[in-house]
């Protein structure tokens, strides 16, 4: 999830434009740390939970050697089959750990991004908008976000797999910790970062490009934020699917798949994951689950962008109304 940092926006109707440092495209300088974190937490939780059943399907469709009973041709067929054979609530297994991780992870992401963006912009561009500052701030925020979210991803994906031996989140955490050690929760961290940095870059560039085309005045326009977010999410998701497949393999440690290529113990490292995926599925293996990933990401990023843009609009409007003379 990215934050917007475009050009100065037009003034809100009936109000004078603010200085460049306090336009709509940046939360008010007076906004507290808790405001940034609350906005980020709400956006993050909604982003990850609304489309969670599709995320469960994506994890299974990325399996390199799925059980014959867990082979699906489409997202709809997969959801229908999972609900029919495993129960109505099965696609939601692991959603609680995702919510627990997404809240603090996105709260810290937004707070870190806003703080570092302002600090670096002051240094690089003397308070003006700097794309270099935005890029560095986004990268630093991503490192922090993934450090919090990665353990939740490991637990979530293990619970999403077909015939998962874990009944509860706590059982999964205890078992993984006992049998594989603490390092298991960060085995895919470097792959996650390698995926998320280009994902964020593509996502950000696409969103900004779409906003320039359909909302050039950069006003608060829910429709434009939703459409731009959906397209940005789809493009970024499709482009980074190979890295997501490798991340899923590192998180789930599929026993059948690893045994078939004579991998003993636990698979670790992005290079080893890339090699193993190619051995098991060739080039098409890198794009397993791409349909589900795009279908999941489009509404997720649309929701996240629209929620955060609403917070920016609401806070800025409230601040300007307080300043307006009676």
């Amino acid at each position: 999830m990215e934050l917007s940092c475009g050009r100065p926006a037009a003034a809100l109707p009936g109000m004078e434009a603010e200085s460049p440092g306090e336009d709509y495209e940046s939360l008010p300088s007076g906004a507290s740390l808790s405001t940034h974190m609350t906005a980020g937490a709400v956006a993050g939780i909604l982003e990850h939970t609304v489309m969670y059943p599709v995320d469960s399907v994506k994890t299974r469709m990325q399996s390199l050697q799925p059980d014959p009973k867990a082979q699906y041709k489409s997202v709809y067929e997969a959801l229908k089959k999972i609900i029919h054979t495993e129960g109505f609530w099965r696609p939601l297994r692991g959603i609680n750990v995702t919510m627990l991780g997404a809240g603090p992870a996105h709260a810290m992401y937004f707070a870190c991004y806003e703080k570092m963006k302002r600090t670096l912009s002051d240094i690089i561009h003397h308070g003006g908008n700097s794309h270099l500052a935005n890029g560095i701030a986004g990268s630093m925020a991503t490192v922090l976000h993934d450090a919090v979210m990665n353990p939740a991803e490991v637990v979530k994906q293990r619970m999403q797999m077909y015939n998962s031996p874990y009944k509860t989140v706590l059982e999964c955490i205890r078992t993984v910790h006992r049998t594989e050690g603490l390092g298991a929760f960060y085995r895919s961290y470097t792959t996650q970062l390698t995926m998320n940095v280009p994902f964020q870059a593509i996502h950000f560039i696409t969103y900004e490009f779409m906003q320039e085309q359909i909302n050039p005045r950069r006003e608060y326009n829910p429709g434009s934020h939703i459409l731009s977010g959906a397209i940005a999410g789809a493009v970024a998701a499709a482009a980074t699917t190979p890295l997501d497949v490798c991340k899923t393999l590192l998180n789930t440690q599929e026993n059948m798949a690893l045994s078939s290529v004579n991998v003993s113990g636990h698979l670790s490292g992005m290079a080893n994951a890339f090699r193993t995926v190619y051995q098991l599925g060739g080039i098409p293996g890198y794009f397993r689950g791409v349909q589900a990933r795009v279908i999941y990401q489009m509404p997720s990023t649309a929701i996240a962008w629209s929620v955060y843009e609403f917070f920016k609009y609401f806070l800025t409007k409230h601040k300007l109304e307080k300043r307006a003379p009676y």
Side-chain angles (χ1 to χ4, degrees):
M1 235 292 306
E2 292 284 352
L3 305 183
S4 182
C5 51
R7 298 181 304 278
L12 293 164
M15 300 176 190
E16 292 183 0
E18 289 291 300
S19 62
E22 304 212 352
D23 55 39
Y24 157 67
E25 285 300 313
S26 178
L27 277 167
S29 58
S32 65
L33 178 66
S34 61
T35 298
H36 292 299
M37 297 185 77
T38 301
V42 173
I45 290 172
L46 287 174
E47 175 187 354
H48 283 279
T49 57
V50 171
M51 294 298 291
Y52 188 84
V54 179
D55 184 54
S56 294
V57 170
K58 182 211 72 170
T59 296
R60 292 194 181 194
M61 292 182 80
Q62 287 180 337
S63 175
L64 295 168
Q65 284 199 344
D67 186 286
K69 296 179 181 179
Q71 295 182 351
Y72 317 107
K73 295 179 180 178
S74 69
V75 174
Y76 175 74
E77 180 205 356
L79 280 173
K80 185 178 178 181
K81 190 173 182 179
I82 291 170
I83 291 171
H84 179 71
T85 59
E86 301 176 54
F88 181 79
W89 298 108
R90 185 62 181 88
L92 295 176
R93 182 179 289 183
I95 193 172
N96 49 349
V97 73
T98 300
M99 293 176 68
L100 287 173
H106 281 72
M108 285 192 280
Y109 179 91
F110 277 64
C112 177
Y113 184 95
E114 292 287 353
K115 175 64 176 175
M116 294 308 302
K117 180 179 73 173
R118 285 206 175 94
T119 301
L120 292 171
S121 291
D122 286 340
I123 296 172
I124 298 171
H125 209 260
H126 303 293
N129 182 48
S130 167
H131 292 297
L132 176 60
N134 298 334
I136 296 172
S139 298
M140 294 175 70
T142 299
V143 172
L144 186 61
H145 168 277
D146 289 356
V148 177
M149 198 64 191
N150 206 84
E153 282 282 317
V154 172
V155 175
K156 176 200 76 173
Q157 291 197 305
R158 294 201 181 204
M159 296 193 71
Q160 288 174 333
M161 294 296 286
Y162 179 74
N163 270 344
S164 172
Y166 312 109
K167 302 298 181 185
T168 67
V169 168
L170 283 177
E171 179 191 350
C172 181
I173 293 171
R174 290 190 185 116
T175 303
V176 172
H177 178 256
R178 184 179 68 252
T179 59
E180 302 177 44
L182 279 174
F185 296 105
Y186 284 95
R187 192 176 285 129
S188 64
Y189 182 54
T190 53
T191 302
Q192 182 97 340
L193 284 178
T194 306
M195 176 183 73
N196 277 347
V197 169
F199 178 93
Q200 301 283 24
I202 296 169
H203 180 190
F204 177 77
I205 292 168
T206 305
Y207 182 85
E208 290 297 329
F209 173 78
M210 289 302 301
Q211 283 291 286
E212 288 176 357
Q213 304 306 309
I214 63 178
N215 187 18
R217 295 183 65 190
R218 305 311 292 260
E219 297 174 324
Y220 175 64
N221 184 329
S224 77
H225 301 315
I226 291 171
L227 179 60
S228 299
I231 293 174
V235 173
T240 57
T241 293
L243 291 163
D244 194 45
V245 171
C246 294
K247 183 204 75 173
T248 298
L249 178 61
L250 289 171
N251 279 345
T252 58
Q253 297 288 312
E254 291 181 68
N255 291 328
M256 288 179 60
L258 297 181
S259 297
S260 67
V261 290
N262 299 317
V263 174
S264 57
H266 303 298
L267 184 70
S268 62
M270 185 177 62
N272 289 331
F274 261 97
R275 192 179 306 114
T276 304
V277 170
Y278 183 77
Q279 288 177 311
L280 290 166
I283 298 298
Y286 293 115
F287 291 92
R288 292 186 69 91
V290 64
Q291 178 196 44
R293 179 164 161 79
V294 171
I295 291 174
Y296 163 76
Q297 203 67 54
M298 285 182 71
S300 296
T301 50
I303 290 167
W305 272 111
S306 59
V307 169
Y308 194 73
E309 295 284 6
F310 170 76
F311 267 88
K312 288 198 293 184
Y313 170 75
F314 176 79
L315 289 168
T316 306
K317 184 173 183 290
H318 178 67
K319 184 177 180 181
L320 291 174
E321 285 176 343
K322 286 176 67 177
R323 289 184 179 180
Y326 290 101

